[in-house]
Amino acid sequence: MDHSAVLALYDRDMRENAAPDGPAARIERTGAVVRQIADAQGWNGVLWSGLDAADADRAIREQVAYFTGLGRDFEWKLYGHDRPDDLGARLLAAGFRAEAEETLMVGETGRLAVAAEPPEGIRLVRATDPAGVDLVVDVHEKAFGTDGTRLRHRLLARLAADPGTVVAVVALAGDEPVSAARMELVPGTRFAGLWGGGTVEAWRGRGVYRALVAHRARVAADHGYRYLQVDASPMSRPILERLGFHALSTTTPCLYGG
């Protein structure tokens, strides 16, 4: 993989020319900033910026004023290769708080190790209705210890408005949901995004997460997508590397408000 070329393609298609991630969201470009505006349950934030040292602070102030004027908490999705080099420090100085850094990883669907199957006793089920979404959210809350209200809202809205662009999968041990993940297919691009992969503690280390990645990779390839993208935690990065993903950059959620 040509890391520089694929990263440039990702920046162009998934950030600078981003599509909204749900029916209640819209994308705006203002100056050298691309942002998404959604309802209070959706994702609000800055997806891309093309700034330099001379205009970065002004652009940050403008985005803070804009989103706070809407009454929205928001995220500036900061990448390790964004400019200026001290953009992260400037965001912190402006009142943002940084969450844990993750690794932007990309794999070519045709070169990934996609033969991984679930361990014995586990079956993978597609979530296509409210009952299935409830199973995904149940795993999310148990695996990450966070409230799943927004995830439920966004998944239900996406499945209702454009079901062909989202794949949500639950791993069941009998009738018990033990792992779940989703994939967003982005029409008009070569990328599909892997999101929300989580496994309840008792089932970690048994290959369930790996099987969910492989399953989604096969679905993405069947739909003609060349690349899979994921923001990988330190826990998932080694698994993804063994499957054939490459680390291209880092990404840090910088949050304002809340």
Side-chain angles (χ1 to χ4, degrees):
M1 179 185 292
D2 184 333
H3 288 194
S4 296
V6 175
L7 182 59
L9 181 66
Y10 175 83
D11 279 343
R12 186 192 72 195
D13 287 358
M14 303 298 288
R15 300 181 65 203
E16 189 173 4
N17 296 314
D21 69 359
R26 68 181 187 275
I27 299 293
E28 293 181 348
R29 179 161 188 160
T30 173
V33 171
V34 174
R35 63 196 180 200
Q36 176 171 291
I37 299 91
D39 60 22
Q41 296 294 328
W43 186 87
N44 289 270
V46 172
L47 292 156
W48 175 88
S49 64
L51 305 173
D52 57 32
D55 61 6
D57 290 334
R58 175 182 53 79
I60 292 169
R61 290 193 299 270
E62 288 175 351
Q63 298 313 307
V64 168
Y66 179 79
F67 282 103
T68 55
L70 294 176
R72 297 279 192 272
D73 300 338
F74 76 106
E75 174 184 336
W76 192 300
K77 195 168 175 63
L78 175 69
Y79 289 79
H81 59 287
D82 284 345
R83 297 292 178 265
D85 291 339
D86 64 348
L87 181 57
R90 291 171 186 261
L91 290 168
L92 294 180
F96 288 78
R97 64 187 186 280
E99 293 200 327
E101 180 182 276
E102 296 181 313
T103 303
L104 171 65
M105 304 189 75
V106 173
E108 291 190 68
T109 56
R111 298 186 176 185
L112 294 174
V114 298
E117 294 296 334
E120 185 176 353
I122 294 291
R123 58 193 173 98
L124 304 184
V125 177
R126 183 93 169 256
T128 59
D129 57 19
V133 169
D134 284 344
L135 294 177
V136 172
V137 172
D138 179 69
V139 171
H140 179 91
E141 293 182 333
K142 290 177 179 176
F144 300 112
T146 56
D147 180 70
T149 301
R150 287 190 173 188
L151 174 61
R152 179 182 285 106
H153 172 86
R154 292 169 64 183
L155 261 180
L156 289 173
R158 188 79 171 262
L159 286 169
D162 203 354
T165 64
V166 62
V167 176
V169 186
V170 183
L172 297 174
D175 293 327
E176 178 189 0
V178 299
S179 187
R182 67 188 190 277
M183 177 170 64
E184 297 181 1
L185 306 170
V186 186
T189 78
R190 282 169 276 187
F191 289 91
L194 302 185
W195 301 98
T199 303
V200 300
E201 187 172 0
W203 279 87
R204 292 172 188 166
R206 305 195 198 185
V208 184
Y209 174 82
R210 182 174 65 249
L212 281 171
V213 173
H215 174 82
R216 288 175 291 167
R218 293 192 294 267
V219 174
D222 289 344
H223 283 78
Y225 286 86
R226 181 174 179 180
Y227 298 109
L228 280 179
Q229 168 265 321
V230 59
D231 295 344
S233 69
M235 183 182 297
S236 59
R237 176 173 175 169
I239 301 170
L240 294 165
E241 287 177 332
R242 289 193 293 271
L243 290 172
F245 283 78
H246 297 255
L248 301 188
S249 187
T250 61
T251 178
T252 303
C254 295
L255 308 180
Y256 194 94

